[in-house]
Amino acid sequence: MGKTSCLQPISPTLQEIATHAEQYPEMVFTTLWHKVDVEWLRVAYALTRKDGASGVDGVTAAAYAENLEEKLVKLHQKLQEGRYVAPPVERCWIEKDDGTQRPIGIPTFEDKIVQRAVVLLMEPIYEHDFASCSYGFRRARSAHHAIQTLREQCVGQEIHWIVDADVSGFFDNIDHGHLREFLRRRVNDGNVVRMIGKWLHAGVMDAGQVDYPENGTPQGGVISPLLANIFLHYVLDEWFLTVVRPRLKGRCFLVRYADDFVIGCELEEDARRVMAVLPKRFDRYALTIHPTKTKLVDFRPPTKQQKAVEEDHTFNFLGFTHYWAKSRRGTWVIKRKTMRKRLTRFVKRVWQWCRRTRHARIRDQYQALCRKLRGNYQYFGIRCNYKALQRVYESARKAWRYWLRRRSHKGKVTWEQAVRTILAKYPLPKPRIIHNI
C-alpha cells in the first residue's frame, strides 16, 4: 500500500488543516486532538516502517499485526482518556565520521504509531510555515535537492564565502522549555503538547539502565525530525531571513538539512559578521556552535598560484566535499565528491562485514553486498563523483574475493578457481551516476 492510498481516508482532514494554516498564518491551532480516531491510527500504522528494530518491549511489527484492529481500538481509548504512557527508548550507538559515536533511540513499535499519528496532525501546519531553505525530512525534498540548490546559489549569486557551521550535539541539547514555547506559537492543543512532553521525558534505556535527560530529543524517533525542524525554524531560518539577510550588504543564502547547514555570502565582511553573531544566537537557545569545526571558507575559483583543490578552499556538506575544478571545456565549475571519511568508513565496514559473513551462503552474501553497493550508488551517484564510486566497487570486490578465499585452506589452487567462478557467476553491480545534479 503506497503513501497516497494510505492517506486517502484522512486526506480531507489534512487538506482542511493545511488550508487553514495557509489562509491564517498567525492562527494558533487549539483543537486538533479529536481528529486522531481509530481510522487515523490505522493510517499511521500503515505509514510506519515494519522493518525497524523493536524497542524496550521487544514487540516486532509482525507481532503487533496480530489482532491489529483490537489493539488500535485499545490504543485509541488510552490516548483519548489520557492513559497512554510513553515507554523509554532503547539506545544504541553508531559510529560517526570523526570516530566518535552517536546515540540513536529506538521507540517501541506502538509508540512509533502514536508518534506518526501526531506527525500527520502537525505536518500540514508546519509545511506551510517552514522556509524554502529547509530541506531535511520534508515531503518532496531531499538531500540532493539541498545540494543542487547550494550549487545554484553559489554560481547564480556569485557567492565567494561559505560559513561552514557545526552545531555540537544538537539533538541531545534541544532545550525543552524553548521547544514548548515554539510549539505553542502554532499548536497549543493541550493534549498534543502533553503527548510531546511525554516523549521528551520518557527516558532512555542504555544497557538496562534508564536515564531521564533534561534536554534533547532522541534521534531515531518518528517525531524527532519534525521537532528539530520546528526548533531550528525559529532559531535559525526565520532569524536569518528576517533579521540577518536585510542587514547584509551583499547577496547571501542559507541551506539547511536538519541540523546541518551552510550560509553563503557574496562579501567577506558579511560572512565574518555572520560568523561572529552565530554563536551568540545559538547560545541564547542553549545550543553551541562548535568553535573548531565551524569555519569560514574562501570559496572562489583557484588562482594560478593555487592548486585546483585545497582543504582551505573546500567544505563538506551532507556527505560531499564541495570544491572548484576545471570542466572538460576548461572553465571553473563546482564539483562534489564523497567525503574522505565517509568513503573510508564505507570501505572499512564492507571489509569487516565480508569477514564476519564469509561462511554464510554465497547467494545470501551476494544479495546483501549488492544492497550495500546500490545504497551507496543511490546516494553518492552524482556527476563528477564516479571515481569515488569506482573505488567503492573495487574495494568491495577485493574484500569479498579475499574473504571467500579464506573459507578453506585445503586445495588452495582449486578453491581459488572456485572463487573466480563465484565472482563470474555473481557479478557485483557496477557504479553508475544516478543523479544528474
Side-chain angles (χ1 to χ4, degrees):
M1 185 183 293
K3 282 190 176 182
T4 303
S5 58
C6 288
L7 290 172
Q8 283 178 354
I10 64 171
S11 58
T13 304
L14 295 176
Q15 185 59 48
E16 179 187 358
I17 296 173
T19 301
H20 277 81
E22 182 177 3
Q23 291 179 346
Y24 309 102
E26 302 299 326
M27 176 181 176
V28 179
F29 290 80
T30 57
T31 55
L32 290 171
W33 190 243
H34 67 281
K35 300 181 185 297
V36 180
D37 53 14
V38 176
E39 183 62 46
W40 195 283
L41 293 175
R42 192 177 296 116
V43 173
Y45 166 80
L47 295 175
T48 302
R49 286 184 56 182
K50 311 300 189 297
D51 57 350
S54 58
V56 295
D57 61 357
V59 177
T60 62
Y64 196 87
E66 300 175 6
N67 301 318
L68 176 63
E69 288 302 314
E70 180 182 344
K71 290 177 181 176
L72 292 180
V73 171
K74 290 182 178 180
L75 176 59
H76 175 255
Q77 291 175 349
K78 287 192 293 184
L79 290 172
Q80 294 301 318
E81 296 171 6
R83 295 185 292 108
Y84 182 79
V85 178
V89 297
E90 182 81 33
R91 172 169 285 174
C92 64
W93 299 85
I94 61 173
E95 185 180 348
K96 296 173 64 176
D97 293 333
D98 57 5
T100 60
Q101 290 187 317
R102 171 184 291 135
I104 297 294
I106 305 174
T108 63
F109 185 76
E110 184 173 72
D111 202 45
K112 292 178 183 177
I113 296 174
V114 181
Q115 290 189 32
R116 177 60 63 190
V118 175
V119 169
L120 283 172
L121 201 62
M122 298 173 63
E123 209 172 38
I125 300 171
Y126 286 102
E127 268 303 308
H128 173 265
D129 292 359
F130 288 154
S132 60
C133 60
S134 171
Y135 289 87
F137 309 108
R138 297 179 60 186
R139 294 183 184 275
R141 286 171 172 254
S142 68
H144 295 106
H145 292 132
I147 294 169
Q148 176 71 1
T149 300
L150 173 62
R151 180 184 180 278
E152 291 174 352
Q153 294 281 358
C154 286
V155 175
Q157 300 196 48
E158 297 184 1
I159 298 299
H160 297 151
W161 299 88
I162 295 291
V163 178
D164 183 10
D166 182 87
V167 184
S168 299
F170 170 71
F171 283 90
D172 295 332
N173 293 290
I174 292 179
D175 183 83
H176 294 172
H178 288 304
L179 178 58
R180 282 191 290 268
E181 176 194 341
F182 293 149
L183 285 170
R184 289 194 175 103
R185 294 184 185 181
R186 218 34 176 136
V187 177
N188 199 20
D189 184 312
N191 290 295
V192 175
V193 174
R194 276 193 295 273
M195 183 59 63
I196 293 175
K198 289 181 180 181
W199 288 317
L200 295 177
H201 297 95
V204 177
M205 180 175 288
D206 192 357
Q209 188 93 20
V210 180
D211 184 32
Y212 297 92
E214 296 181 359
N215 296 318
T217 175
Q219 285 182 267
V222 176
I223 200 167
S224 294
L226 177 60
L227 296 181
N229 272 337
I230 294 171
F231 199 90
L232 284 175
H233 169 73
Y234 291 106
V235 173
L236 179 63
D237 302 351
E238 190 177 69
W239 168 74
F240 179 83
L241 296 174
T242 60
V243 178
V244 175
R245 189 167 65 177
R247 287 173 167 79
L248 299 182
K249 296 179 181 180
R251 290 173 289 189
C252 63
F253 72 87
L254 166 69
V255 174
R256 180 177 66 81
Y257 189 94
D259 61 325
D260 197 358
F261 67 93
V262 294
I263 296 174
C265 296
E266 181 184 7
L267 305 177
E268 181 181 4
E269 176 188 355
D270 289 340
R272 295 197 179 277
R273 289 178 63 191
V274 172
M275 280 280 290
V277 76
L278 262 181
K280 300 175 184 177
R281 175 66 180 180
F282 276 75
D283 182 66
R284 179 179 174 183
Y285 296 95
L287 293 174
T288 304
I289 295 292
H290 201 290
T292 57
K293 292 184 179 180
T294 300
K295 62 179 181 177
L296 180 61
V297 180
D298 181 357
F299 195 62
R300 289 177 288 186
T303 62
K304 294 181 179 179
Q305 291 76 25
Q306 294 173 325
K307 295 181 180 179
V309 179
E310 292 183 0
E311 187 175 348
D312 293 339
H313 298 275
T314 67
F315 66 94
N316 298 323
F317 183 60
L318 298 180
F320 291 92
T321 297
H322 302 252
Y323 64 99
W324 285 95
K326 285 286 187 70
S327 68
R328 292 181 179 179
R329 297 180 179 179
T331 59
W332 287 106
V333 295
I334 297 175
K335 295 185 177 182
R336 285 69 50 97
K337 62 181 179 180
T338 307
M339 284 172 53
R340 185 181 304 171
K341 290 181 179 179
R342 288 283 184 96
L343 184 57
T344 303
R345 184 178 66 179
F346 184 84
V347 170
K348 179 181 177 181
R349 286 183 175 179
V350 168
W351 180 271
Q352 293 172 341
W353 180 86
C354 289
R355 179 184 180 182
R356 289 195 309 269
T357 61
R358 64 186 183 274
H359 296 299
R361 291 177 52 197
I362 299 296
R363 188 172 189 82
D364 293 341
Q365 290 186 53
Y366 171 71
Q367 292 174 346
L369 195 53
C370 286
R371 287 194 295 270
K372 293 179 185 294
L373 288 175
R374 290 194 182 103
N376 186 277
Y377 302 159
Q378 183 65 38
Y379 185 79
F380 291 104
I382 67 174
R383 283 191 301 172
C384 307
N385 196 36
Y386 188 82
K387 187 180 294 185
L389 301 182
Q390 185 67 25
R391 181 182 168 187
V392 164
Y393 167 77
E394 292 174 352
S395 62
R397 194 173 188 276
K398 179 180 178 181
W400 197 32
R401 183 176 186 275
Y402 177 85
W403 288 110
L404 283 178
R405 292 175 64 238
R406 303 280 291 183
R407 282 165 64 107
S408 174
H409 296 286
K410 299 179 180 179
K412 185 175 180 181
V413 176
T414 304
W415 184 242
E416 287 183 351
Q417 292 174 347
V419 169
R420 286 196 291 269
T421 303
I422 291 171
L423 294 177
K425 183 178 179 181
Y426 297 101
L428 296 176
K430 293 188 176 181
R432 64 190 184 93
I433 301 301
I434 297 175
H435 305 283
N436 187 27
I437 61 174

